[in-house]
Amino acid sequence: MSLVPAAAEKNTRSAVGNEAVSSLQSPVKRYKGLILSVLSGIVLALPFCDGRWWILSWIGFVPLFFALRDKTRLQSFALSCLCGVVFWSITIYWLIHVTLLGQILLILYLAIYFGIFGFFISGLSTIDYRLSTFLFFPSLWVVLEYLRAHLLTGFGWALLGYSQYLNLPVIQLAALFGAYGVSFLVVMGNLAFYSAVSFQLSAFSKIKKCLAFALSLSIILAYGYYQLSRQPKAESRKLFKISVIQGNIPQELKWAYGSQAFILDRYIRLTKEAALDRPDLIIWPEASNPGFLGDASDARVNENIFNLAKEIKIPLLVGSVVRAERRYFNSALLINEFGLVGRYDKLHLVPFGEYIPWKGTFKFLESIVPIGDFTAGNNYTLFSLSAIRYPLSAKFGALICFEDTLPELSRDFTREGADFLVNITNDAWFKETASPYQHLAASVFRAVENRLPLARSANTGVSCFIDSRGRVISRLIQNGKDIFVSGIKTQDIVLSPKTKSLYQDIGDSFIAGCFALICFCGIIRNRKP
């Protein structure tokens, strides 16, 4: 009996089996880059959904790095854009409560920055793994974040560094180089991890990259723990008591006809409750005044607020829309028993929310998003309480709405002489989502960068107090919730002698250093034979 037919049959079955396995593997291999890009976007976004997952940011780019191996620049751009679309779709999903089309357009625009990042780091399997290139990746990312925060009026939301706002030792780096310094470190950590697990690197090269990152992280952690352990001397400490009001006024009710009495009654009741704690200052949220200051039709509403300050004899910081000379301002008003003491008009308005940039070009957007018609202020107004509460001398700057996402604005207030910062805001637009916590993260960084305490009064939360090291020392909580509840919170904040941070001195010079490093690394790579 011949064995050839049997052997042939066996080979045929084997070939068929291999072909079946190959047919199953080929789609996976074909879509591997897409799968890894999507995975990277998800992992990077999760810490912005819950800050307790901050550790994921340190490995979030790794799947994308693997996806870009041996890819052309165009392929890398496309895959990185996909990663960006996934990241921003998860991170700012709450914008759908305001505008769906506007959300889609914003996501597509923001994803381009991911694409540019991928374009310049394409071909990871053939990359030069010298230490100069190890610094190129985080420098490129930081410069792109800075551009995103400033181009086309800027969108400084969800910087990579903000994902670490609960990682207190690491965020002390912000006092030196701002939030961008933390972003730099996180990208460097991703690259170190990628280098450690990449089979295309020699053991020596892996050790070199990991040691460089480990040394940098160790120095930063040592600095962070040292700063967290520092306490101002007892004789130099000055306590300042503040009460914040959280009205929890639904957005659909805020400007509804006939709602003025209800809104004003709630704020008056909460303010009188806070006055029992005898604070030095009581803070209302952004646009909490249900009327317009300067509008004759709202004279009764404004009179009630001024009478309230006269009755309790405690200064009020009230968020209000101000009408002056047919223009409208989003303002913060300091009122005491004698009347209006000071007024700050919001300097940086929200584009396509409070105004339309280049109105002639983007007028059609009025039908897409609810756009106000506000005028920006032009002065860095500091409020002084020395003349009001004579035993104390304190100055503070008020950041309205998303102004706390602008590092340079807080820095300018600090350089003008602020002893503490205040953020008044209204995040009711975005419902019970991750938005208020993402907003809180920005406030934490402003406190660390300037080494100043910060008080937040938010219409629907999070209303809280942050110390100069970024610790949320207390927050308003009712029935286990800190958003979409009403109430008051009173806290002593520590006004210490002004200690300048390096960031106050150099500002965003770190960005210029990153740009110079990009140019240097580009020259080095181009000179490689």
Side-chain angles (χ1 to χ4, degrees):
M1 181 177 177
S2 173
L3 297 177
V4 174
E9 184 181 353
K10 183 178 180 181
N11 289 337
T12 301
R13 286 200 303 266
S14 178
V16 171
N18 289 338
E19 186 178 346
V21 171
S22 177
S23 65
L24 290 173
Q25 289 178 340
S26 58
V28 175
K29 186 175 181 180
R30 186 182 309 140
Y31 297 112
K32 176 182 172 184
L34 297 176
I35 294 170
L36 289 174
S37 296
V38 171
L39 176 62
S40 200
I42 293 172
V43 175
L44 285 170
L46 286 176
F48 292 96
C49 297
D50 189 333
R52 292 171 295 184
W53 296 342
W54 55 263
I55 190 67
L56 295 179
S57 294
W58 297 85
I59 59 171
F61 279 112
V62 175
L64 179 64
F65 290 163
F66 277 104
L68 301 187
R69 280 203 217 249
D70 299 316
K71 296 296 188 297
T72 65
R73 291 197 183 277
L74 188 58
Q75 289 172 329
S76 296
F77 177 83
L79 288 172
S80 299
C81 278
L82 174 62
C83 176
V85 167
V86 173
F87 171 81
W88 286 112
S89 296
I90 297 173
T91 302
I92 58 172
Y93 68 95
W94 37 263
L95 198 58
I96 196 172
H97 293 297
V98 178
T99 166
L100 174 59
L101 182 55
Q103 179 192 39
I104 293 172
L105 293 174
L106 182 61
I107 288 171
L108 293 176
Y109 163 69
L110 296 173
I112 293 173
Y113 291 93
F114 273 78
I116 296 172
F117 181 66
F119 180 85
F120 284 105
I121 66 169
S122 60
L124 281 169
S125 62
T126 58
I127 198 168
D128 173 12
Y129 282 97
R130 285 177 290 187
L131 284 175
S132 59
T133 305
F134 190 61
L135 300 176
F136 173 79
F137 282 56
S139 297
L140 176 61
W141 180 262
V142 163
V143 169
L144 288 171
E145 276 197 334
Y146 183 81
L147 291 175
R148 167 167 68 84
H150 292 83
L151 289 179
L152 300 176
T153 75
F155 188 76
W157 194 264
L159 301 181
L160 186 61
Y162 289 170
S163 66
Q164 304 300 299
Y165 84 99
L166 294 179
N167 188 359
L168 292 174
V170 165
I171 67 172
Q172 302 311 309
L173 180 63
L176 303 178
F177 305 118
Y180 298 108
V182 181
S183 294
F184 185 97
L185 184 68
V186 173
V187 178
M188 184 188 283
N190 275 269
L191 189 55
F193 189 83
Y194 170 74
S195 300
V197 299
S198 175
F199 58 84
Q200 293 182 325
L201 285 177
S202 66
F204 175 74
S205 193
K206 290 182 180 182
I207 292 172
K208 187 167 64 171
K209 304 296 178 298
C210 293
L211 280 179
F213 171 70
L215 179 62
S216 302
L217 184 61
S218 298
I219 294 172
I220 289 163
L221 287 176
Y223 170 77
Y225 281 112
Y226 168 71
Q227 290 294 333
L228 290 171
S229 66
R230 292 184 64 191
Q231 295 291 339
K233 295 179 181 178
E235 60 271 17
S236 65
R237 288 161 53 98
K238 193 164 56 171
L239 296 181
F240 191 87
K241 185 180 286 188
I242 299 176
S243 292
V244 294
I245 308 295
Q246 185 166 305
N248 190 31
I249 305 299
Q251 191 58 38
E252 57 272 14
L253 190 64
K254 194 157 185 59
W255 301 111
Y257 178 77
S259 63
Q260 280 188 339
F262 167 78
I263 295 172
L264 189 59
D265 179 69
R266 175 170 293 187
Y267 278 109
I268 289 176
R269 176 175 56 81
L270 291 172
T271 300
K272 288 182 177 179
E273 182 182 340
L276 298 176
D277 294 329
R278 302 310 303 166
D280 300 300
L281 176 68
I282 298 176
I283 304 173
W284 290 15
E286 174 193 13
S288 47
N289 177 6
F292 291 175
L293 186 70
D295 195 319
S297 63
D298 292 323
R300 179 64 63 86
V301 173
N302 295 312
E303 184 182 351
N304 285 335
I305 295 174
F306 281 90
N307 288 338
L308 174 64
K310 186 183 297 185
E311 177 186 345
I312 63 176
K313 293 181 170 54
I314 297 172
L316 299 177
L317 183 73
V318 177
S320 177
V321 175
V322 174
R323 182 181 180 183
E325 299 176 356
R326 297 184 179 181
R327 294 185 298 169
Y328 291 91
F329 299 88
N330 189 353
S331 305
L333 312 174
L334 186 60
I335 303 168
N336 73 352
E337 57 189 294
F338 304 110
L340 182 64
V341 177
R343 168 182 148 195
Y344 165 69
D345 298 326
K346 188 179 181 185
L347 291 170
H348 190 93
L349 301 177
V350 178
F352 310 114
E354 292 174 317
Y355 79 108
I356 306 175
W358 313 295
K359 276 190 178 182
T361 305
F362 294 107
K363 190 157 186 159
F364 71 95
L365 287 172
E366 289 188 48
S367 60
I368 299 176
V369 291
I371 299 173
D373 188 19
F374 288 92
T375 301
N378 51 24
N379 292 315
Y380 286 89
T381 304
L382 277 186
F383 295 109
S384 176
L385 295 170
S386 57
I388 304 172
R389 308 286 286 180
Y390 58 88
L392 281 172
S393 176
K395 296 180 180 180
F396 66 93
L399 306 166
I400 301 176
C401 191
F402 286 8
E403 284 189 321
D404 64 336
T405 65
L406 305 169
E408 57 272 21
L409 190 59
S410 301
R411 176 173 173 259
D412 287 338
F413 275 123
T414 305
R415 290 166 67 86
E416 290 289 326
D419 296 296
F420 64 95
L421 298 171
V422 168
N423 176 223
I424 58 174
T425 187
N426 172 32
D427 295 335
W429 296 91
F430 311 117
K431 310 301 181 184
E432 294 192 48
T433 62
S435 173
Y437 302 101
Q438 294 171 6
H439 196 176
L440 169 63
S443 287
V444 167
F445 272 82
R446 302 298 84 85
V448 176
E449 287 167 350
N450 298 287
R451 289 300 186 210
L452 292 181
L454 188 150
R456 299 187 86 238
S457 177
N459 174 33
T460 54
V462 179
S463 297
C464 64
F465 297 88
I466 305 165
D467 74 4
S468 61
R469 267 47 182 181
R471 290 171 287 219
V472 180
I473 53 178
S474 67
R475 71 174 75 197
L476 189 154
I477 298 177
Q478 297 281 5
N479 302 319
K481 293 178 60 179
D482 56 6
I483 59 174
F484 287 87
V485 292
S486 63
I488 67 163
K489 187 66 179 179
T490 303
Q491 177 68 38
D492 285 326
I493 63 172
V494 178
L495 304 183
S496 302
K498 291 184 178 66
T499 304
K500 271 195 172 183
S501 65
L502 179 64
Y503 179 75
Q504 285 181 40
D505 288 329
I506 69 171
D508 290 324
S509 299
F510 178 71
I511 309 300
C514 288
F515 182 74
L517 197 55
I518 290 171
C519 296
F520 172 75
C521 292
I523 294 171
I524 293 295
R525 290 180 65 182
N526 288 333
R527 289 180 60 186
K528 180 186 175 186

